[in-house]
Amino acid sequence: IADEGFQITHLCRAAGMSRTQLHRKVKGLTGESTSVFIKKIKMDYAKKMLETSDKTISEVAYSIGYKYPNHFSTDFKNHFGYSPNETRN
């Protein structure tokens, strides 16, 4: 989760599947593309960290593989409909 360089090809190798096979499997199970599925997992993990830890938003962003906390905050708001700051309130 924390590797900002993590790509779908890494997941393919770990799963022992081609990119196409992995996409079909993930799409069939979740209804989402592989990249959307990975982002969803990261966002859910980030939300849980914000709710249960004292880490700053920047620390949470870095811990789930974001290089820029501002980009994380934008993605978080797009995903959940509210900002990371509002998670703590």
Side-chain angles (χ1 to χ4, degrees), residues 39 43 70-84:
K39 185 174 268 191
M43 287 293 129
N70 290 342
H71 186 223
F72 163 72
S73 293
T74 301
D75 282 354
F76 189 96
K77 186 167 186 170
N78 289 338
H79 183 78
F80 291 110
Y82 51 87
S83 72

Side-chain angles (χ1 to χ4, degrees), residues 41-50 60 64 72 76:
I41 289 171
K42 287 184 174 207
M43 287 293 129
D44 290 344
Y45 186 72
K47 181 180 177 198
K48 187 172 196 157
M49 285 177 40
L50 288 168
V60 170
I64 65 162
F72 163 72
F76 189 96

Side-chain angles (χ1 to χ4, degrees), residues 19-56:
R19 189 178 179 104
T20 303
Q21 287 173 315
L22 182 66
H23 176 75
R24 285 183 187 145
K25 181 66 81 175
V26 171
K27 185 82 169 175
L29 292 171
T30 67
E32 299 166 340
S33 70
T34 308
S35 59
V36 169
F37 180 68
I38 290 170
K39 185 174 268 191
K40 183 178 177 182
I41 289 171
K42 287 184 174 207
M43 287 293 129
D44 290 344
Y45 186 72
K47 181 180 177 198
K48 187 172 196 157
M49 285 177 40
L50 288 168
E51 292 171 341
T52 61
S53 76
D54 292 333
K55 289 186 175 187
T56 66

